[in-house]
């Protein structure tokens, strides 16, 4: 038994639509703390038949439970035979650096690798999502290495940047209300300055618009954005993502949804579309 499996602790489970939603904690070597994640396993998932997965990255202030409790994704995930992997949004613990504001520190990891103290001791969510968590999942659950990535708000930023930088690992990318250009919005500027320092050249690697300006995206992208979102103009800026994608004819479908806000009511309204979108790439052989 590996140290990883010894550290994997089962917290809870619930049967839903024939599959199982399970929650675990484990000692993360990447983040130097105990991390929690949730996983949905459809009923067809067995050791002999591992299933593909969608990794879901949540937004500011969220945990692994926001998506599992509010998105209404399990009926379709079960029908498609797809696993859902839901990590927490940041390292947590009494000895983990934090901030009094909601948009920095615990609950606000921004899916990057911090280089500045005190954040660099724990805040390495980029490596956690790209390397440690998939390794853990694929080693201990009937889940294959065929995967896509999705997220909301800060997590939409994470899904876009991670998927764009690792097309060899993922089949497709989707996002709800993503922070598309963090270098050019208050949330991103505050987090990047704290986590990465004042050299803005180091920020570009975690900015979806900047990545798209460098060349054509290798993966298909679906983005939904509500036009009644309170954060639309100041923080999210989907028009800049569209413009950046158009520079090299990147495969982006941006859908502006009339009347929808930033909440999980919005996500629940369109999550079926996103899962079917990913299934089109996860359940077919890569060309």
């Amino acid at each position: 038994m590996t140290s990883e499996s010894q550290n994997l602790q089962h917290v809870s489970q619930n049967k839903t639509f024939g599959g199982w939603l399970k929650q675990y904690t484990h000692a993360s070597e990447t983040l130097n703390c105990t991390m929690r994640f949730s996983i949905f396993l459809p009923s067809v998932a067995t050791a002999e038949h591992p299933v593909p997965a969608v990794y879901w990255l949540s937004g500011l202030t969220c945990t692994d439970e926001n998506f599992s409790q509010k998105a209404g994704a399990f009926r379709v995930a079960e029908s498609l035979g797809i696993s859902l992997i839901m990590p927490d949004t940041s390292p947590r613990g009494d000895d983990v650096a934090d901030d009094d504001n909601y948009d920095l520190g615990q609950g606000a990891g921004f899916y990057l690798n911090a280089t500045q103290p005190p954040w660099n001791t724990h805040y390495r969510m980029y490596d956690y999502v790209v390397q440690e968590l998939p390794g853990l999942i694929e080693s201990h659950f009937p889940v294959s290495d065929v995967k896509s990535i999705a997220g909301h708000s800060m997590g939409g930023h994470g899904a876009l940047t991670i998927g764009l930088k690792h097309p060899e690992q993922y089949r497709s990318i989707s996002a709800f209300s993503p922070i598309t250009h963090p270098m050019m919005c208050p949330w991103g500027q505050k987090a990047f300055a704290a986590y990465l320092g004042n050299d803005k050249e180091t920020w570009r690697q975690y900015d979806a618009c900047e990545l798209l300006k460098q060349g054509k995206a290798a993966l298909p992208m679906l983005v939904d954005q509500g036009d009644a979102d309170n954060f639309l103009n100041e923080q999210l800026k989907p028009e800049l993502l569209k413009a950046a994608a158009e520079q090299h004819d990147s495969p982006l479908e941006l859908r502006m949804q009339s009347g929808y806000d930033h909440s999980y009511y919005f996500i629940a309204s369109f999550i079926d579309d996103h899962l079917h979108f990913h299934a089109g790439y996860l359940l077919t052989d890569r060309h």
Side-chain angles (χ1 to χ4, degrees):
M1 180 178 291
T2 67
S3 60
E4 268 190 337
S5 62
Q6 290 173 337
N7 286 325
L8 192 63
Q9 299 291 324
H10 180 245
V11 176
S12 65
Q13 66 180 23
N14 300 93
K15 193 169 187 179
T16 178
F17 297 108
W20 287 95
L21 173 64
K22 301 186 178 187
Q23 192 177 58
Y24 292 86
T25 61
H26 73 106
S28 169
E29 295 182 0
T30 302
L31 303 176
N32 298 307
C33 67
T34 297
M35 286 295 288
R36 193 177 73 188
F37 67 88
S38 293
I39 177 171
F40 173 76
L41 293 168
S43 57
V44 296
T46 64
E48 296 74 30
H49 181 71
V51 296
V54 172
Y55 283 71
W56 173 268
L57 307 183
S58 288
L60 288 168
T61 74
C62 292
T63 70
D64 61 301
E65 293 183 334
N66 293 73
F67 183 83
S68 65
Q69 294 177 1
K70 297 179 179 180
F74 301 132
R75 182 194 298 273
V76 170
E78 167 65 20
S79 70
L80 293 170
I82 291 174
S83 177
L84 301 174
I85 315 299
M86 298 150 276
D88 202 348
T89 55
S90 78
R92 296 184 193 269
D94 292 341
D95 61 342
V96 175
D98 201 5
D99 189 88
D100 290 338
N101 296 298
Y102 75 96
D103 53 359
L104 188 68
Q106 296 186 35
F110 270 84
Y111 304 101
L112 50 72
N113 290 336
T115 59
Q116 304 300 303
W119 312 104
N120 56 343
T121 302
H122 298 283
Y123 284 76
R124 301 183 61 83
M125 286 298 295
Y126 182 92
D127 281 353
Y128 179 74
V129 170
V130 173
Q131 299 174 7
E132 185 176 13
L133 183 60
L136 182 71
I137 295 296
E138 292 160 21
S139 296
H140 298 291
F141 300 94
V143 175
S144 75
D145 63 358
V146 177
K147 53 187 177 289
S148 293
I149 191 162
H152 171 235
S153 194
M154 178 186 71
H157 138 76
L160 287 166
T161 56
I162 288 171
L164 287 169
K165 292 174 68 174
H166 295 279
E168 76 287 351
Q169 290 193 34
Y170 303 95
R171 296 288 183 89
S172 51
I173 306 166
S174 78
F176 289 85
S177 318
I179 303 172
T180 67
H181 204 353
M183 292 181 68
M184 298 296 291
C185 79
W187 278 340
Q189 290 166 349
K190 177 179 180 178
F192 284 7
Y195 294 142
L196 302 173
N198 294 323
D199 180 2
K200 293 185 178 180
E201 287 302 310
T202 68
W203 298 9
R204 297 185 189 279
Q205 62 185 309
Y206 300 115
D207 187 302
C209 286
E210 294 298 315
L211 294 172
L212 285 170
K213 291 174 184 177
Q214 296 172 15
K216 184 173 182 176
L219 299 179
M221 297 172 284
L222 171 63
V223 173
D224 273 320
Q225 172 65 61
D227 68 5
D229 191 320
N230 290 337
F231 303 113
L232 177 60
N233 295 321
E234 183 181 29
Q235 304 282 10
L236 306 179
K237 306 179 186 296
E239 71 282 358
L240 300 182
L241 184 73
K242 182 179 180 181
E246 288 174 347
Q247 285 190 27
H248 302 283
D249 195 27
S250 291
L252 168 67
E253 181 180 5
L254 171 63
R255 307 191 306 185
M256 295 300 298
Q257 304 290 2
S258 178
Y260 285 91
D261 58 20
H262 200 71
S263 71
Y264 266 84
Y265 295 110
F266 173 43
I267 296 171
S269 298
F270 296 101
I271 191 62
D272 291 6
D273 288 357
H274 284 239
L275 293 180
H276 282 286
F277 166 77
H278 291 301
Y281 300 96
L282 292 171
L283 302 178
T284 58
D285 292 334
R286 188 190 290 267
H287 296 299

